[in-house]
Amino acid sequence: MIRAADKKDFTFIYSLYMHPEINPYLLYEVMDATAFQPEFDALLARDILYVYEGDDGQAAGMFKFIPYTHRSDHVAYVGGLAIAPDRQGKGYGLRMMREIIELGNALHILRIELSTAVNNEKAIGLYERAGFQKEGVLRKYTHLKKENIFLDEVLMAYIYP
């Protein structure tokens, strides 16, 4: 089940964003909890941050769902997708993706976009199983400042039938 994130989700969200295996694929550089708090508060204020709960009611994943506006108001961007490391490989990712697609449908979205590092084969495979298709490569799109490395990202989209 997906639900809007709230203040009590801080520890869970922070742990995913800063996890050493997950962080290179997400937006924020590694930072301490005090520095992350304003970022978290801003995401909550925009009503774009969601938590995915497993059948046991425990938080299993997170994502941002960002509807576009004006002539692109039929499109939404999904970012910050992550499944907790102890929940990976158990089907939570695909179930979360299916619920994201249902959310988009309920909001009358016709297209969902996302991007991920071209070397994130696990995520690309998940997105393809959920019905997303590759549309192109964004060259040198993400900059990992600490390592001074640029990553190419693959742009993918789900277009509702």
Side-chain angles (χ1 to χ4, degrees), residues 2-21:
I2 58 174
R3 62 170 174 79
D6 59 39
K7 289 198 177 283
K8 74 179 184 335
D9 295 309
F10 177 83
T11 300
F12 175 70
I13 301 286
Y14 176 76
S15 73
L16 290 184
Y17 268 114
M18 300 305 142
H19 191 279
E21 294 173 17

Side-chain angles (χ1 to χ4, degrees), residues 78-144:
V78 175
L81 289 100
I83 295 292
D86 64 333
R87 300 286 185 112
Q88 292 177 6
K90 299 177 182 173
Y92 289 103
L94 187 57
R95 290 194 297 270
M96 181 173 74
M97 293 306 298
R98 288 180 177 151
E99 289 197 31
I100 290 169
I101 291 168
E102 289 176 20
L103 173 64
N105 190 45
L107 296 173
H108 307 289
I109 297 297
L110 301 177
R111 173 187 171 89
I112 299 176
E113 299 176 341
L114 58 80
S115 67
T116 191
V118 295
N119 66 346
N120 193 351
E121 295 172 8
K122 188 175 177 181
I124 293 168
L126 168 65
Y127 303 146
E128 288 177 332
R129 284 191 304 281
F132 284 73
Q133 294 182 358
K134 295 176 184 174
E135 294 194 324
V137 173
L138 304 166
R139 296 180 305 137
K140 292 189 175 184
Y141 192 76
T142 299
H143 183 218
L144 303 178

Side-chain angles (χ1 to χ4, degrees), residues 27-83:
L27 181 64
Y28 303 104
E29 295 291 330
V30 174
M31 64 183 84
D32 65 27
T34 302
F36 185 70
Q37 186 70 58
E39 302 292 344
F40 178 77
D41 292 342
L43 292 170
L44 290 183
R46 292 179 59 199
D47 293 323
I48 60 172
L49 186 61
Y50 290 81
V51 171
Y52 174 75
E53 294 179 345
D55 294 335
D56 60 1
Q58 298 298 309
M62 68 171 187
F63 65 95
K64 294 180 290 191
F65 191 88
I66 308 168
Y68 293 164
T69 59
H70 305 291
R71 288 186 171 165
S72 296
D73 66 1
H74 63 287
V75 180
Y77 181 82
V78 175
L81 289 100
I83 295 292

